[in-house]
Amino acid sequence: MVKRELTNQMEEVEMSVEMGDQVLGSGTTAPARAAGVTKASRQVSDPVMDLQKVHVFYGDYEAVREVDLPIASREITAFIGPSGCGKSTLLRSFNRMNDLIPGARVEGKVLYHGVDIYGPDVDAIEVRRRVGMVFQKPNPFPKSIFDNIAYGPRVLGRSKKDMDGIVEQSLTRAALWDEVKDKLDESGMALSGGQQQRLCIARCIAVNPDIILMDEPCASLDPIATAKIEDLMRELAEDYTIVIVTHNMQQAARVADRTAFFTAEVDGQNVRHGRLVEFDLTEDIFLNPRRSTEDYISGRFG
Amino acid sequence: MPAFEFFQTVPITDFLFGTEWAPLFADPEFGVLPLVSGTLVITGIACLVALPIGLLLTAMYLSEYAADKTRRTLKPILEILAGIPTVIFGFFALEFVTAVLLKNIWPQTEVFNALSAGLVMGVMIIPTVASLSEDAMSAVPRGLREGAYALGSSRRQVTLKVVVPAALSGIVAAFVLGVSRAIGETMIVAVAAGLQPNLSLNVFEGMQTMTSFIAAAGSGDQPTGSIGYQTIFAVGALLFLMTLVMNLFSIRMVRKYREVYE
Amino acid sequence: MTAVFTPIGDQVKQDLQDTGPPLKDRGFRWMLFAGLSVGIITLVALLVFVFLEGYPRLTPTLWQNMPSIRFPEKAGAQSAIMGSIWVIVTTAVICMPVGVMAAIYLEEYGNPTRRFDRIVEINIQNLAAVPSIVYGILGLGVIARAFALGQTVITAALTLSLLVLPVVIISSREAIRAVPQSIRAGSLALGATRWQTIWKQVLPASIPGIATGAILALSRAIGEAAPLLLLGAVTFITFNPDGLMSSYTVMPIQIYNWISQSREEFQVLAAALCILLLAILLVMNAFAIYLRNKFQRRW
């Protein structure tokens, strides 16, 4: 497990990143553009998920261009980058959520324990049972708290008598049990935003997934609720592999073991495509940004 | 109002609870129950058709399964169905459903019967209920569907366990509006269900409804102020009240539903 | 949570194996489609049946001759066709201005927080769902008897106007609402009064929408029979209306009359008139759709 006490040192870097990326861009050594992925990522041994030359299209539009990226087991991997750089789109290809959007299409291989989840005889529903997802906006079902958690196990056909246990365990795991144990029959929509998001995390844990995808899980929350979710993520990383998309670079620095930096590249026809610029241990990305590929960052936006 | 004059002649309890309806006879009876039961039996049959087919199946298919293009083709077709004059539906019920279908399946079917009127009326209200409940289902936020899919649900599970419960008040509103249309429908029953007041549950017999009584009594020239003229208003007032309550309830449900997701 | 899912290698491949949707899901999908088909099959059956039944009598005598009880082979429906035209045109003349005015008031001057306007709104929604025969009773009691207009074209038109008014108002409001605020602001900024803005800018821009809604409302009125049963249209009429105070009959009522006759020839006549009525409705609807597509503007 990688140390994550980077926050204070990160403040300055974060500022400059947001102000125009001079720090990341200036005074770099020769770029390693062709690889897209830098040396450190090779150290991911036995990845849970391995993207190989992945492109994501919406109809004719190529939203994400050629990504190679391994996801390490029981770690937190963060995707950062400006909006419109395809990081959420890429995340949604991890559990075939893109299938639900008409016209969306993935090329390349998304290997899950060596099996291509876009292979011809793979059941998307089975994939989603192993790769759970938490969304940007908390989306509890308009049902009771209990039924929200029990939804997944019921869909999987778990027996009724296990249900109380599953609900309690999942809520405890999501650090929500103490707050809601007396009102399990109340609507999940009556909770505060932060509680709703933890409810969604608990709902996701209840089906016992292998990987949890989080698409900007704190985007609609206040700082206190955000801090709780971040604590929770660190605890969950003991048992689960987590991939999180975030706008907030500090958040990536606080929680992530590894960070992938994406950007939007403009091609000859003035069309934007998302690209992976750099992938490395979080420390290296933020503390030694010089290694990042210069020509992407300097002048491209700012 | 002639309805008030009517209730000065006939006690309201006789009207509401009497089981004999023969207002235009020499020895008149004013118990409205046979008309109400005829209305409810036929409406009930219509609901048995429209509830599963229109509300659930058609709406679920359009909202959750059909591709965009399919939906754009199918909805106008259903709207054509909604635009057909009801007298033509009545003709179809009498000459096709009764004469060609029912008579051959159940020979005991009378020429005028509640069943064919109810079945055709059910088909008539399918577009109304299907389109309104489809609106309600489509208004369920995407996020809920995605949440359910991300937990490994199949499309059927998402539809039945998430979308339908979330849209329930809108679906109920659509259904109530459909029932209210069925209760108020005149021409199908006037043509296909006969004009014989009949306090019975036998759907192969003819039955008179509130609407078809009004139509029959109103077609004759009832002199102003006569008891026959007044009955039209009394039955009409009852019909109006019944549908009004249902419509108000339905409008309320739709508002409530909108508030939840705004 | 005790056991955390940690799959490896071939096991994963097997777990993710797509065995096709389970029987339940396939069955469910099939059931949905079957449900949807019921409506469409009935529609097709109805159209085919009416057409086959009525085709033999779809001859010029249908619109050249007058109804006859004794000679079905010579009977026609000219008085009903002319009656429908009289009634519908009169209805249009009455309900269009009233409906559009009401819509302008509600959209441009109305204030949804005011109690009166809110009540009006709910009432309009409600009136749209009142059974049509109740309008017939209203027409009989108030227009025919209390106003002593009798069982005439004007009574029928007034009653049908009341019936379709909510539809006209609702669709006109939508058309008016679709005109962007910037057009109003632009006009007002040039010093136009509120009324000038509405008359010169908002109304012309929303006319296609209003017309579409009005045609759809009138196509409902032309097929409506129930209220007119109470308003004298059932009477056996063998002449065309010659004015607003004339007696009349209309096509749906003529169909009803013929259905009620026991002789088989009259059923064929009824079916033939059904085809004619459906054809008229088709033309009206097609025209409405054409208007909508032609003038639909992207603001």
Side-chain angles (χ1 to χ4, degrees):
Chain A
M1 203 89 341
V2 182
K3 282 180 97 186
R4 299 185 194 87
E5 262 80 66
L6 295 163
T7 318
N8 289 333
Q9 305 153 44
M10 285 313 309
E11 255 21 331
E12 289 171 41
V13 178
E14 152 77 4
M15 292 279 288
S16 0
V17 167
E18 287 189 339
M19 283 164 65
D21 306 290
Q22 269 90 2
V23 172
L24 283 175
S26 60
T28 57
T29 54
R33 172 177 180 170
V37 177
T38 49
K39 194 183 65 188
S41 69
R42 299 285 174 237
Q43 293 162 3
V44 175
S45 56
D46 191 21
V48 180
M49 205 137 216
D50 196 5
L51 307 192
Q52 297 180 353
K53 298 207 180 336
V54 168
H55 300 246
V56 186
F57 297 84
Y58 292 123
D60 292 333
Y61 168 62
E62 187 177 15
V64 175
R65 179 168 278 183
E66 192 161 341
V67 171
D68 288 278
L69 180 70
I71 303 295
S73 178
R74 314 249 177 116
E75 283 188 12
I76 300 180
T77 304
F79 291 1
I80 61 174
S83 45
C85 69
K87 46 194 198 307
S88 289
T89 302
L90 187 67
L91 190 75
R92 295 166 69 95
S93 69
F94 280 44
N95 63 345
R96 294 187 55 172
M97 287 300 279
N98 282 333
D99 291 15
L100 303 172
I101 300 166
R105 172 166 63 86
V106 172
E107 280 179 10
K109 285 187 170 160
V110 182
L111 299 176
Y112 169 69
H113 293 286
V115 178
D116 183 7
I117 63 169
Y118 284 90
D121 52 359
V122 169
D123 185 355
I125 291 170
E126 290 295 334
V127 171
R128 295 190 199 117
R129 286 178 182 168
R130 287 164 178 75
V131 186
M133 190 164 197
V134 174
F135 297 84
Q136 183 171 355
K137 200 172 159 239
N139 56 354
F141 302 131
K143 300 170 187 263
S144 72
I145 293 170
F146 185 96
D147 287 341
N148 261 282
I149 308 295
Y151 176 88
R154 279 180 189 148
V155 161
L156 288 173
R158 295 291 294 270
S159 78
K160 255 204 182 88
K161 61 179 196 296
D162 299 342
M163 216 54 85
D164 288 346
I166 294 175
V167 171
E168 180 172 349
Q169 271 182 326
S170 310
L171 285 169
T172 308
R173 213 54 230 280
L176 192 59
W177 176 250
D178 291 334
E179 290 161 61
V180 302
K181 64 183 174 204
D182 299 324
K183 47 178 185 180
L184 293 176
D185 292 336
E186 287 176 26
S187 167
M189 297 178 86
L191 297 172
S192 72
Q195 287 174 325
Q196 285 188 12
Q197 197 59 298
R198 276 180 285 149
L199 180 69
C200 292
I201 294 174
R203 187 173 73 183
C204 182
I205 296 171
V207 295
N208 213 3
D210 191 12
I211 304 177
I212 301 176
L213 309 175
M214 296 189 176
D215 188 358
E216 299 189 39
C218 303
S220 59
L221 303 181
D222 62 65
I224 294 169
T226 300
K228 280 190 182 167
I229 303 263
E230 288 177 3
D231 289 343
L232 177 59
M233 278 162 40
R234 285 203 282 260
E235 276 170 40
L236 291 175
E238 310 272 316
D239 295 317
Y240 299 96
T241 304
I242 296 177
V243 184
I244 172 178
V245 167
T246 178
H247 263 326
N248 180 339
M249 306 238 182
Q250 289 189 44
Q251 185 171 56
R254 282 192 299 261
V255 302
D257 299 296
R258 292 170 196 271
T259 296
F261 181 50
F262 290 82
T263 189
E265 174 201 62
V266 180
D267 71 8
Q269 278 98 46
N270 214 14
V271 180
R272 292 156 63 96
H273 306 285
R275 271 205 90 144
L276 176 63
V277 181
E278 187 177 5
F279 173 60
D280 217 327
L281 293 172
T282 304
E283 292 170 313
D284 291 344
I285 288 250
F286 284 95
L287 295 181
N288 304 308
R290 264 161 296 157
R291 288 195 302 150
S292 59
T293 48
E294 169 186 32
D295 53 338
Y296 277 117
I297 293 172
S298 60
R300 288 282 178 177
F301 39 41
Chain B
M1 280 292 288
F4 289 115
E5 293 162 23
F6 173 79
F7 288 119
Q8 281 162 9
T9 325
V10 180
I12 194 157
T13 47
D14 285 10
F15 177 68
L16 288 179
F17 303 110
T19 55
E20 199 74 42
W21 180 257
L24 306 178
F25 288 8
D27 181 19
E29 295 282 351
F30 297 99
V32 81
L33 274 186
L35 298 187
V36 173
S37 88
T39 304
L40 293 184
V41 166
I42 293 175
T43 304
I45 298 169
C47 291
L48 288 181
V49 173
L51 179 67
I53 293 180
L55 263 185
L56 298 173
L57 301 181
T58 305
M60 284 194 285
Y61 187 85
L62 287 177
S63 155
E64 303 301 310
Y65 280 78
D68 224 33
K69 213 175 146 195
T70 324
R71 180 171 32 233
R72 278 203 301 266
T73 333
L74 287 177
K75 274 196 110 171
I77 294 181
L78 286 176
E79 275 159 25
I80 298 179
L81 197 57
I84 290 180
T86 56
V87 68
I88 298 182
F89 274 114
F91 179 72
F92 181 69
L94 181 70
E95 295 291 321
F96 183 77
V97 177
T98 298
V100 180
L101 296 181
L102 298 181
K103 281 275 192 192
N104 288 319
I105 306 173
W106 295 287
Q108 78 271 30
T109 310
E110 294 177 8
V111 173
F112 298 114
N113 64 83
L115 186 58
S116 82
L119 291 175
V120 172
M121 194 189 274
V123 174
M124 180 199 83
I125 61 176
I126 283 177
T128 313
V129 293
S131 139
L132 286 174
S133 45
E134 197 250 329
D135 289 347
M137 290 187 206
S138 304
V140 171
R142 256 184 86 82
L144 286 186
R145 284 190 187 87
E146 292 193 329
Y149 279 120
L151 290 167
S153 327
S154 68
R155 201 170 276 261
R156 173 181 61 93
Q157 287 161 333
V158 172
T159 308
L160 289 179
K161 298 189 175 172
V162 176
V163 177
V164 169
L168 198 62
S169 63
I171 294 176
V172 170
F175 184 59
V176 171
L177 203 66
V179 172
S180 141
R181 271 202 72 185
I183 289 180
E185 170 48 36
T186 307
M187 296 315 290
I188 294 178
V189 286
V191 170
L195 298 173
Q196 187 61 48
N198 183 359
L199 187 60
S200 155
L201 292 176
N202 185 345
V203 295
F204 299 107
E205 292 174 3
M207 291 179 189
Q208 192 170 40
T209 64
M210 294 190 282
T211 51
S212 60
F213 165 75
I214 296 170
S219 322
D221 208 2
Q222 308 285 348
T224 310
S226 70
I227 189 77
Y229 182 72
Q230 289 165 1
T231 32
I232 297 175
F233 286 83
V235 177
L238 183 63
L239 177 68
F240 178 70
L241 278 180
M242 284 171 77
T243 53
L244 182 72
V245 169
M246 302 184 95
N247 298 338
L248 284 176
F249 175 77
S250 170
I251 292 173
R252 252 193 118 97
M253 289 296 272
V254 170
R255 298 219 156 171
K256 202 173 127 203
Y257 175 74
R258 288 206 182 123
E259 278 162 15
V260 174
Y261 294 114
E262 282 313 306
Chain C
M1 202 124 306
T2 45
V4 170
F5 191 82
T6 41
I8 23 164
D10 287 345
Q11 184 59 40
V12 179
K13 187 151 196 168
Q14 207 179 346
D15 287 348
L16 297 184
Q17 181 77 44
D18 186 6
T19 50
L23 206 59
K24 259 190 192 167
D25 291 78
R26 260 181 296 173
F28 183 68
R29 196 194 177 101
W30 190 87
M31 208 170 76
L32 288 187
F33 193 75
L36 176 74
S37 318
V38 170
I40 293 171
I41 289 172
T42 312
L43 176 66
V44 172
L46 185 146
L47 295 179
V48 169
F49 174 76
V50 170
F51 192 79
L52 290 181
E53 179 93 357
Y55 182 70
R57 275 309 311 268
L58 205 57
T59 54
T61 50
L62 186 65
W63 50 87
Q64 282 168 354
N65 292 4
M66 291 295 169
S68 158
I69 289 182
R70 285 164 51 210
F71 306 107
E73 65 280 4
K74 276 199 254 163
Q78 196 183 58
S79 57
I81 295 167
M82 292 308 291
S84 275
I85 294 173
W86 269 94
V87 170
I88 289 307
V89 170
T90 318
T91 303
V93 169
I94 297 167
C95 79
M96 289 278 293
V98 178
V100 174
M101 288 296 166
I104 291 176
Y105 172 79
L106 287 169
E107 277 305 309
E108 302 285 328
Y109 296 92
N111 172 0
T113 55
R114 203 159 53 192
R115 204 179 156 74
F116 170 77
D117 291 346
R118 227 178 36 231
I119 291 174
V120 168
E121 284 228 43
I122 291 191
N123 270 325
I124 290 173
Q125 287 183 42
N126 222 325
L127 285 176
V130 167
S132 59
I133 192 135
V134 171
Y135 283 95
I137 297 177
L138 192 72
L140 173 68
V142 178
I143 301 168
R145 301 276 163 101
F147 293 171
L149 287 173
Q151 304 193 321
T152 54
V153 171
I154 185 75
T155 304
L158 281 169
T159 308
L160 289 181
S161 297
L162 287 179
L163 179 71
V164 298
L165 202 52
V167 183
V168 176
I169 294 177
I170 290 170
S171 60
S172 305
R173 286 185 69 178
E174 272 163 18
I176 291 170
R177 204 177 308 152
V179 178
Q181 283 299 329
S182 56
I183 288 194
R184 295 184 182 85
S187 171
L188 291 171
L190 290 173
T193 64
R194 206 162 177 187
W195 176 244
Q196 284 169 331
T197 304
I198 292 168
W199 189 245
K200 298 242 165 81
Q201 302 298 333
V202 177
L203 264 188
S206 51
I207 272 184
I210 293 175
T212 309
I215 292 172
L216 293 178
L218 291 177
S219 71
R220 182 176 166 202
I222 205 171
E224 195 60 73
L228 303 184
L229 283 176
L230 301 185
L231 301 173
V234 187
T235 335
F236 185 64
I237 302 274
T238 53
F239 53 87
N240 295 335
D242 55 5
L244 293 180
M245 298 305 287
S246 168
S247 314
Y248 68 100
T249 187
V250 293
M251 287 195 284
I253 299 282
Q254 187 63 57
I255 293 171
Y256 175 68
N257 272 342
W258 277 335
I259 297 174
S260 314
Q261 304 292 328
S262 54
R263 287 165 68 182
E264 180 59 27
E265 294 95 322
F266 284 110
Q267 307 303 329
V268 177
L269 264 177
L273 193 53
C274 284
I275 300 175
L276 192 63
L277 181 56
L278 285 172
I280 291 173
L281 284 173
L282 189 71
V283 170
M284 289 175 78
N285 279 296
F287 186 59
I289 291 168
Y290 166 79
L291 270 184
R292 185 165 61 195
N293 292 345
K294 171 144 192 201
F295 292 100
Q296 204 166 40
R297 268 190 241 186
R298 299 259 169 264
W299 298 102

